[in-house]
Amino acid sequence: MTLKHVLMAALATAMFAAPAQAQDNVKVGLILPLTGPFTAIGRQVENGVKLYMAQKGDTAAGKKVEIVVKDDGGNADATKRIAQELIVNEKVAIIAGFGLTPLAMAAAPIATQGKTPQIVMAAGTSAITQASPYIVRTSFTLPQSSVPIADWAAKNGIKKVMTVVTDYGPGLDAEKWFSETFTKAGGTVESVRAPLKSPDFAPYLQKAADAKPDAIFVFVPAGQSAQFMKQYRERGLDKSGIKLIGPGDVTDDEVLNDMGDVALGVVTAHLYSTAHDSPENKAYVEAFKKANNVRPNFMSVGGYDGMHLIYEALKKTGGDTDADKLIAAMKGMSWVSPRGPISIDPETRDIIQNIYIREVKSVNGELYNVEFATIANVKDPAKAAAK
Ligand code: PHB
């Protein structure tokens, strides 16, 4: 029997075993890396989810929403096994979380076979939403921020760029979309890739320094930004006159203030800044800091907004947890997030959001990504191009 058959058989058994009565609880399985090198991502998402529920209460459409939190340790096999267990044994109506691309991808066939909505709250490779018709994303895609920063670089006197990216889905998306956009605008690009596991950035930074570009474009996943910036400083690159640019993962708000002066002047394009100037974000940052003693970062809003999506979809279906009805309810939904206005593209189930160009500055003695330009309502460029 294939995995699909095992799962279908288990689901059929489970359906007969459970009497067809109205369930008062809606269980949401939240699968995140809460141990291992990507714990920081998992914690930000979990805390975003928990803050939403603390603020809005734990009922939606008259049903109690119950979160079942599971740690996959950042291991894709574990994500897949946990997703299956949650659907078959725990009877969750929705699976959510997914701290890294391989983890989101591992759960996608389970969502499809188990007919369960999968809310991707953290991962950023463009293709994720195409891996299952039951996936809806509240995080971001890397092309979404890599194209705007390429446009900015081309318009701001940068002609030669070295890209340094982590060698997996989101890094490859970032490299491709930055390079294509930037070369079309007349620039030249050279590229190097660092491994995802236990990276030592020194050799790549040395190569980048030797090439003497106007700028280094970097993508490293949240959780590796502090290490990257430390090695950037150790090689003296912050004093080299080479500008550092990229998607905003490298200036992750949670750890930015501890990076020190090396981060000053780094220009990035991203979906969220702790310093985003709106009443919604001021309230969000204050509540998040109070609850968790750290700044919220871009991962936290994926969790917070993912819960909003789930609550509002349940309200629209009148508490019905049928997967097709929930997905239909989510398509086209729009609201104001702490990050700004966002919506779910009804065609792709991917997030449409503003991308902000920001520069790291010291404000009242603390480092922040200070937004200075907005590109409104950005759809994932990778999917727009494929049409
Ligand atoms: C991803 O694995 O999709 C990912 C992880 C961390 C990031 C961005 C993307 O900061």
Side-chain angles (χ1 to χ4, degrees):
M1 281 214 286
T2 64
L3 170 68
K4 182 173 174 181
H5 289 122
V6 173
L7 187 65
M8 294 302 267
L11 283 173
T13 314
M15 272 155 61
F16 284 117
Q21 64 190 13
Q23 277 207 328
D24 290 319
N25 284 15
V26 177
K27 282 192 182 178
V28 178
L30 186 64
I31 314 172
L32 290 166
L34 294 166
T35 53
F38 295 102
T39 303
I41 294 178
R43 229 184 273 129
Q44 283 277 342
V45 175
E46 183 186 13
N47 289 335
V49 166
K50 291 198 164 148
L51 180 58
Y52 188 86
M53 296 184 74
Q55 290 177 340
K56 311 284 168 170
D58 62 358
T59 55
K63 299 223 173 178
K64 191 171 157 60
V65 179
E66 189 190 329
I67 302 291
V68 184
V69 181
K70 298 280 178 189
D71 171 24
D72 62 17
N75 177 315
D77 291 334
T79 316
K80 188 167 190 167
R81 176 178 47 74
I82 292 166
Q84 201 166 332
E85 281 170 10
L86 285 171
I87 295 171
V88 175
N89 301 333
E90 296 266 357
K91 310 205 171 25
V92 300
I94 295 167
I95 52 174
F98 311 102
L100 295 160
T101 289
L103 313 179
M105 286 299 202
I110 306 295
T112 305
Q113 288 156 30
K115 235 180 155 247
T116 305
Q118 176 183 353
I119 311 306
V120 174
M121 296 172 159
T125 300
S126 171
I128 288 173
T129 44
Q130 289 157 325
S132 169
Y134 291 110
I135 291 179
V136 179
R137 170 154 45 197
T138 57
S139 46
F140 51 86
T141 82
L142 266 302
Q144 223 170 22
S145 46
S146 300
V147 168
I149 195 67
D151 287 335
W152 181 86
K155 284 188 195 128
N156 284 273
I158 294 170
K159 302 217 166 354
K160 182 178 164 188
V161 172
M162 183 93 178
T163 66
V164 181
V165 303
T166 304
D167 192 2
Y168 78 123
L172 304 184
D173 268 1
E175 180 193 280
K176 174 175 191 268
W177 286 88
F178 176 82
S179 302
E180 279 188 17
T181 312
F182 190 65
T183 49
K184 253 188 219 151
T188 59
V189 180
E190 255 187 88
S191 299
V192 290
R193 299 172 183 174
L196 176 61
K197 292 220 168 95
S198 319
D200 172 9
F201 298 109
Y204 310 100
L205 288 171
Q206 191 55 52
K207 251 193 163 168
D210 292 346
K212 298 203 169 36
D214 301 316
I216 294 174
F217 167 95
V218 63
F219 166 79
V220 292
Q224 293 187 350
S225 58
Q227 156 92 349
F228 178 89
M229 291 303 277
K230 181 170 164 274
Q231 292 193 295
Y232 194 83
R233 190 187 51 230
E234 282 167 2
R235 301 213 91 69
L237 277 158
D238 54 330
K239 308 262 183 321
S240 67
I242 299 172
K243 189 136 192 85
L244 188 60
I245 60 173
D249 308 71
V250 75
T251 54
D252 175 352
D253 283 309
E254 182 179 348
V255 289
L256 176 61
N257 198 41
D258 298 327
M259 289 177 183
D261 287 356
V262 61
L264 283 170
V266 176
V267 174
T268 55
H270 223 205
L271 57 123
Y272 178 74
S273 165
T274 308
H276 178 67
D277 189 9
S278 74
E280 292 82 11
N281 189 48
K282 282 210 172 70
Y284 180 70
V285 172
E286 196 182 304
F288 192 98
K289 276 189 179 166
K290 200 170 161 203
N292 307 302
N293 256 321
V294 291
R295 287 182 185 179
N297 73 5
F298 63 104
M299 291 296 185
S300 79
V301 289
Y304 188 81
D305 291 325
M307 279 321 285
H308 181 86
L309 179 75
I310 291 169
Y311 273 47
E312 293 304 311
L314 282 168
K315 287 184 199 167
K316 272 179 137 184
T317 65
D320 191 335
T321 55
D322 175 77
D324 292 315
K325 288 182 186 159
L326 284 174
I327 296 295
M330 291 173 183
K331 286 181 178 177
M333 201 181 274
S334 64
W335 68 99
V336 178
S337 155
R339 67 184 108 172
I342 63 175
S343 65
I344 302 298
D345 186 340
E347 283 177 45
T348 62
R349 292 164 277 101
D350 220 332
I351 188 164
I352 301 174
Q353 59 193 331
N354 292 350
I355 295 297
Y356 307 91
I357 312 290
R358 317 93 51 84
E359 177 175 357
V360 177
K361 289 189 172 169
S362 178
V363 182
N364 301 326
E366 282 191 44
L367 298 183
Y368 285 98
N369 289 293
V370 178
E371 296 168 350
F372 62 86
T374 304
I375 300 99
N377 302 324
V378 180
K379 284 192 188 190
D380 176 32
K383 273 166 223 119
K387 275 201 255 171

